[in-house]
Amino acid sequence: RTMSHPLRGRTAIVGIGNTRRWNAPGRTPFDQLQEAAVLALEDCGLRMDQVDGLFCAMSTSGLPVLNVAERLGIKPRHADGTMVGGASFLFHLQSAMAALEFGLCEVALICYGSNQLTAGGKLASMPDPQPYEAPFKPRYPMSSYALAAARHMHEYGTTREQLADVAVAARDWALRNPDAFMQTPLTREEVLGARMISDPLTKADSCLVTDGGAALVLTRADRARHLPHKPAYVLGTGVAVSHRQISAMPDLTTTCAVESGQRAFDMAGVRREDIRHAMLYDAFTINTLLFLEDLGFCGKGEAGPMVSSGAISPGGRLAVNTNGGGLSCNHPGMYGLFTLIESVEQLRGDCGQRQVDGVELSLAHANGGVLSSQATAILGTESTL
């Protein structure tokens, strides 16, 4: 490895909290968040009053840091409420690394909660008017992703069958995860036959709508070694932003995951072929294809054939979305934190039937807005330091 990045491996995820409450009537987003935060702290043996760095974003709160600090009863000396949609928490991860490294905080908590399912399934992430798109009466956010899918099909010959195979692969992994929301088998024919919502995407091409809460605790690496679980070291991160509304996206078939991914790989000093486990934010089936390409796991236009070859299914060469993903495990409005949680569980070797053998590196990638913000993180076990 050439000159290593000063932040490489300096911080670690030491605690994870996942409420696994995908359908929880009567629980508010703050209830879910608080439970996840408590679980994450219990997981690493630290106390709530030791948390001095707070990172959170919620689609249901305009002042999340203030609300969450009050609710958890903490007084952070460093906080970040960056809101870029579902990728927010991987942006927070990068901020937390820097804050820990430079002593702005000692224990960082990244947390999220949502009651999107029991609140009626409405996504509260479109408060900003979209004057150039509203006249066409799109379905937000789905029509934006459908536009990218249609363009990818036009440009690269990608088929609806290949999109369907993304959903089938996610379901095959979900069937190995007892905590996944979807527990019934899914076939390509069922995806193709599902109700068309925004051409070319059907209901089965779309992520779930669930409730849920998630949290991570990070410390500096030297402290992490003395805590109960095997630390997941943050080897590299990268973030990127390219637009707000889909009509302003520079190229519908290429996301700024190209930049976020390159930054993460550069910092981590690892190669694409070193990665055998990847968590790719699958809000819709097209996302998985775009991110496989943009993160360099295959060439542009090659993701469809790659997925249809079985490469990302159980037993394939790249284990992708092993929890079942947003398509089949859970998707409470903003899904980014759950990609990191599964990466950590895989690195710990705690995934039971869905465990990837001998995994030492894991890539987690999150997406926000309408392919607008992208964030990539590469985590590793102690052997990768």
Side-chain angles (χ1 to χ4, degrees):
R1 192 179 290 113
T2 50
M3 275 300 290
S4 140
H5 191 283
L7 285 176
R8 184 191 192 273
R10 298 283 298 170
T11 57
I13 298 171
V14 294
I16 52 176
N18 182 354
T19 66
R20 300 181 168 86
R21 295 181 190 272
W22 312 138
N23 184 5
R27 280 179 184 259
T28 68
F30 292 107
D31 294 337
Q32 288 267 12
L33 178 148
Q34 182 172 23
E35 182 182 357
V38 168
L39 288 170
L41 286 158
E42 285 177 350
D43 185 53
C44 61
L46 296 173
R47 301 186 314 274
M48 190 68 78
D49 63 8
Q50 292 174 286
V51 174
D52 58 355
L54 177 62
F55 301 80
C56 53
M58 301 170 89
S59 56
T60 48
S61 168
L63 300 169
V65 167
L66 307 188
N67 281 306
V68 171
E70 179 182 277
R71 177 69 182 258
L72 298 180
I74 58 177
K75 289 184 167 176
R77 59 192 179 104
H78 184 77
D80 184 342
T82 296
M83 174 53 160
V84 290
S88 299
F89 315 102
L90 277 79
F91 277 66
H92 297 162
L93 179 73
Q94 181 164 284
S95 300
M97 287 168 71
L100 286 162
E101 175 67 12
F102 290 105
L104 299 178
C105 63
E106 298 293 321
V107 176
L109 173 69
I110 307 176
C111 48
Y112 175 66
S114 166
N115 66 341
Q116 195 185 343
L117 174 61
T118 49
K122 290 284 177 278
L123 188 63
S125 68
M126 265 293 165
D128 356 347
Q130 304 289 315
Y132 305 108
E133 297 179 10
F136 300 96
K137 298 188 168 53
R139 286 174 173 260
Y140 281 121
M142 191 171 183
S143 294
S144 306
Y145 288 89
L147 205 57
R151 185 69 200 177
H152 201 274
M153 293 166 89
H154 170 77
E155 215 155 305
Y156 299 109
T158 306
T159 65
R160 281 192 56 212
E161 285 75 12
Q162 290 165 344
L163 290 168
D165 290 342
V166 171
V168 172
R171 184 65 57 87
D172 288 347
W173 281 113
L175 296 176
R176 297 167 177 236
N177 178 10
D179 291 318
F181 192 63
M182 302 305 290
Q183 292 291 339
T184 50
L186 181 68
T187 65
R188 179 195 264 192
E189 290 65 41
E190 285 170 323
V191 180
L192 295 174
R195 181 165 55 93
M196 184 63 73
I197 296 181
S198 198
D199 193 345
L201 301 178
T202 71
K203 186 175 189 294
D205 286 294
S206 318
C207 62
L208 302 169
V209 174
T210 69
D211 301 334
L216 300 176
V217 178
L218 285 102
T219 67
R220 284 193 290 279
D222 47 10
R223 182 175 190 177
R225 293 188 177 89
H226 307 293
L227 296 172
H229 289 286
K230 207 165 79 163
Y233 296 94
V234 188
L235 303 179
T237 62
V239 305
V241 173
S242 72
H243 57 277
R244 168 61 184 94
Q245 50 193 33
I246 201 76
S247 55
M249 186 170 176
D251 175 350
L252 285 168
T253 65
T254 302
T255 72
C256 61
V258 171
E259 286 88 357
S260 72
Q262 194 55 54
R263 286 166 194 150
F265 276 103
D266 286 347
M267 188 190 294
V270 300
R271 301 163 309 165
R272 269 65 174 181
E273 47 270 32
D274 297 331
I275 305 285
R276 291 177 43 231
H277 178 255
M279 294 299 299
L280 308 179
Y281 193 120
D282 53 342
F284 299 92
T285 50
I286 186 61
N287 292 49
T288 304
L289 299 185
L290 290 172
F291 301 148
L292 284 169
E293 294 171 354
D294 294 347
L295 295 170
F297 291 114
C298 64
K300 205 59 194 154
E302 292 173 9
M306 177 182 168
V307 168
S308 290
S309 76
I312 70 168
S313 304
R317 63 183 164 88
L318 180 66
V320 171
N321 297 343
T322 47
N323 61 346
L327 291 166
S328 279
C329 180
N330 68 296
H331 197 294
M334 293 158 71
Y335 171 74
L337 254 185
F338 295 93
T339 65
L340 287 167
I341 284 177
E342 178 71 7
S343 287
V344 172
E345 288 197 82
Q346 286 284 347
L347 292 172
R348 287 181 179 183
D350 288 346
C351 288
Q353 253 202 304
R354 68 183 193 280
Q355 180 65 45
V356 179
D357 285 343
V359 65
E360 301 289 334
L361 287 168
S362 176
L363 178 145
H365 179 79
N367 157 82
V370 287
L371 299 170
S372 315
S373 60
Q374 304 295 335
T376 313
I378 298 172
L379 309 181
T381 58
E382 194 158 16
S383 69
T384 62
L385 290 178

